[in-house]
Amino acid sequence: MGDNYSQLVSRISEAAKVSVDEIERKVEAKRAKLSGLVSKEGAAQIVAAELGINFDEERMKISELVHGMRKANVIGKIIDIYPVREYNKNGRAGRVCNLMVGDDSSNTRAVLWDEHHIVMVEQGKLSKGDVIEISNAGVRNGELHLSSFSDIKKSKEKMDNVIEAKVYSMRKISDVKPGDSFSSRAVIVQVFEPRYFEVCPQCGKKVSEGKCSGEHGEVEGVKRALLSIVLDDGSETMRSVMFGETIKKLGLTDDEIFNLDAFGEKKLGLLGEERVFSGNVRENKLYNTTDFTIQDVGDVDVGALVKELEGKS
Ligand SMILES: [Zn+2]
């Protein structure tokens, strides 16, 4: 995955015909002047503007999008289309439609706020698998936002190697809210005993008292485990849950997951383990808490460190 900041710096360097080192010096000077109130990416954009460089006409890769851009141009393939939703917030009502758009660098959500664009989706003029051209979109938190000033249309270009797997960005636990997907480099500070339940082998829905909660009647349930842990990334702690194969990524075997004695022997060893956890945050209405559902666990590697450092700057 690309490194936003260095990509931006090398773009500025090429366009301004000034060395990368020089651009980085200017960025640091700008940040110092603004008492560190802007991110490195933000400072780089100011430096670019001061050097008279304008990315307005340029096409960006999705991994190069930087928060705060106002006229981003992207070409990508529609990976997914979500149902149109109605909103009514702070006296403003309307409709919104989200698309997942990917290119060979990354993928992101494109949020359509304009009725004309939403109708294009509803009429099937834009559909899954289409390569599209987006222009004049705003960038907020890595997402493309299309207003009535933005444009979206089908492109004749072919696209290969589109990244379709979910891309998680590095975030601090204290910054996340329900609905967010993110990665965090965090330490396991609490581990609870696994809980077990059974699912239907045909549909994966819960089995209770030998019956599928879906439509399969009496079935032989398959045993599944749920593990609750508490993570701490230095900013805050967060209660987290993980299921099935994901639990094995902590280095546990099936026996250690499904046998409480074997689990007990491993439990202490998990405390203090530092990994990169990726998943989504959900509101737990029952307990009035936010839970992090972990979808992936990775080792702490240099790439993740670089991303995290960027996120902190
Ligand atoms: Zn079933």
Side-chain angles (χ1 to χ4, degrees), residues 200 202-205 212 214-216:
C200 168
Q202 291 171 62
C203 66
K205 285 185 178 159
C212 166
E215 53 188 18
H216 296 105

Side-chain angles (χ1 to χ4, degrees), residues 4-60:
N4 265 354
Y5 173 69
S6 30
Q7 280 172 354
L8 191 61
V9 167
S10 58
R11 263 180 183 262
I12 298 169
S13 154
E14 273 166 41
K17 308 209 172 3
V18 174
S19 76
V20 166
D21 285 352
E22 182 61 29
I23 301 290
E24 284 186 333
R25 261 195 299 277
K26 284 182 190 294
V27 169
E28 283 315 316
K30 184 58 67 184
R31 287 195 75 203
K33 201 174 162 194
L34 297 169
S35 322
L37 289 174
V38 292
S39 66
K40 285 200 300 192
E41 288 90 344
Q45 286 199 72
I46 298 172
V47 168
E50 286 176 355
L51 289 168
I53 297 157
N54 183 344
F55 292 120
D56 288 4
E57 302 299 320
E58 264 192 79
R59 186 185 286 174
M60 312 287 283

Side-chain angles (χ1 to χ4, degrees), residues 45-208:
Q45 286 199 72
I46 298 172
V47 168
E50 286 176 355
L51 289 168
I53 297 157
N54 183 344
F55 292 120
D56 288 4
E57 302 299 320
E58 264 192 79
R59 186 185 286 174
M60 312 287 283
K61 293 268 190 198
I62 290 174
S63 65
E64 295 174 322
L65 297 173
V66 176
H67 179 77
M69 283 181 171
R70 287 187 183 167
K71 292 178 171 180
N73 304 320
V74 163
I75 191 159
K77 191 181 255 182
I78 301 179
I79 301 170
D80 215 347
I81 298 182
Y82 300 99
V84 177
R85 284 186 295 120
E86 286 184 22
Y87 66 87
N88 194 335
K89 215 175 179 181
N90 304 330
R92 287 187 60 181
R95 301 198 304 159
V96 60
C97 177
N98 292 334
L99 313 176
M100 278 305 288
V101 179
D103 64 12
D104 61 1
S105 75
S106 186
N107 58 49
T108 188
R109 202 189 287 261
V111 187
L112 313 184
W113 297 98
D114 184 69
E115 263 307 302
H116 294 99
H117 300 153
I118 294 171
V119 168
M120 284 170 77
V121 173
E122 286 181 323
Q123 293 179 340
K125 286 177 184 159
L126 297 174
S127 41
K128 211 168 145 174
D130 285 349
V131 176
I132 51 164
E133 229 176 291
I134 290 174
S135 35
N136 286 333
V139 180
R140 295 209 294 265
N141 299 317
E143 295 180 344
L144 290 158
H145 286 259
L146 282 76
S147 70
S148 52
F149 298 107
S150 314
D151 200 17
I152 181 168
K153 62 176 188 225
K154 259 202 220 189
S155 164
K156 290 197 175 82
E157 286 189 39
K158 290 253 183 301
M159 269 213 143
D160 299 315
N161 308 320
V162 173
I163 295 180
E164 301 206 3
K166 200 166 178 85
V167 178
Y168 295 97
S169 63
M170 229 49 200
R171 301 271 283 280
K172 277 193 279 191
I173 290 176
S174 58
D175 290 342
V176 299
K177 53 184 192 315
D180 285 351
S181 293
F182 76 107
S183 290
S184 175
R185 179 180 165 212
V187 174
I188 301 174
V189 294
Q190 260 194 79
V191 177
F192 299 90
E193 277 195 344
R195 294 212 311 264
Y196 307 113
F197 57 100
E198 290 189 345
V199 296
C200 168
Q202 291 171 62
C203 66
K205 285 185 178 159
K206 214 167 177 171
V207 169
S208 48

